[in-house]
Amino acid sequence: DAGITQSPRYKITETGRQVTLMCHQTWSHSYMFWYRQDLGHGLRLIYYSAAADITDKGEVPDGYVVSRSKTENFPLTLESATRSQTSVYFCASRATGGGYTFGSGTRLTVV
Amino acid sequence: AQKVTQAQTEISVVEKEDVTLDCVYETRDTTYYLFWYKQPPSGELVFLIRRNSFDEQNEISGRYSWNFQKSTSSFNFTITASQVVDSAVYFCALKNTGTASKLTFGTGTRLQVTL
């Protein structure tokens, strides 16, 4: 199916574990983004990418790592999960000059 | 730096009432875009509108209308004759014209429409 897919939808992990959230888009959009949503903060940008192999930090990058070896994939890794990283994570993509499309979100709980 | 402020954290109305959600933004760019998204209880983000900084005309789409005023840096959203299905969190967002054109979101307004 065409679109932007996030996996998993729900994840529970333990403090200190490494966890990777996946994001896949089928349009070959140049830009991809990772946001986290927390009550009282709205959505905050973690990392973004303008093309394959080009990534940059957003507003709240600490504790996260991204990569973009292929245009269609933009995984987000929490190297050592902390309770403060419990959140809902949204991936988004955008074509040059186009609008934004968001994935359905991943609800991550760190216990 | 850019910023979006949604001062109303939560609004409760009775069905059929009109309701306005406020959005105030800050940016140094002369060219920018403003957005509204709806997040229903199911959690997905639903695009409602995009408006560029050169188009100050108000827009109406069914029961939804948007009032863009550059003089007050506001982009307010009004729902006329609200319905229970309008219950959601609504986000206002701003896009600059930088290379990556990142979206900056407000903190959201939760709208509760009751019978």
Side-chain angles (χ1 to χ4, degrees), chain A residues 10-62:
Chain A
Y10 303 91
K11 176 74 177 179
I12 300 175
T13 191
E14 294 178 341
T15 301
R17 296 252 187 179
Q18 182 181 82
V19 60
T20 296
L21 310 184
M22 304 302 293
C23 179
H24 174 79
Q25 51 117 344
T26 60
W27 301 293
S28 298
H29 286 170
S30 298
Y31 298 104
M32 295 189 77
F33 309 84
W34 274 107
Y35 287 86
R36 60 176 289 175
Q37 181 181 5
D38 304 289
L39 194 62
H41 292 281
L43 281 82
R44 293 179 293 175
L45 183 64
I46 305 170
Y47 269 95
Y48 63 97
S49 169
D53 296 323
I54 301 175
T55 63
D56 207 347
K57 296 178 180 179
E59 183 184 352
V60 288
D62 292 344

Side-chain angles (χ1 to χ4, degrees), chain B residues 25-94:
Chain B
Y25 62 92
E26 297 174 27
T27 181
R28 293 178 184 166
D29 289 351
T30 55
T31 303
Y32 51 89
Y33 293 85
L34 294 162
F35 298 75
W36 276 95
Y37 285 86
K38 174 182 179 180
Q39 186 177 45
S42 53
E44 73 272 21
L45 285 162
V46 179
F47 168 80
L48 295 178
I49 190 172
R50 179 178 77 168
R51 174 54 51 89
N52 74 55
S53 54
F54 296 109
D55 182 1
E56 288 194 69
Q57 284 190 353
N58 291 335
E59 178 148 345
I60 298 174
S61 176
R63 295 184 298 106
Y64 295 171
S65 62
W66 290 270
N67 184 314
F68 177 28
Q69 292 195 336
K70 288 180 75 171
S71 61
T72 56
S73 297
S74 65
F75 187 45
N76 296 337
F77 172 32
T78 297
I79 302 174
T80 302
S82 60
Q83 299 176 1
V84 172
V85 293
D86 296 326
S87 296
V89 180
Y90 291 87
F91 290 99
C92 181
L94 169 69

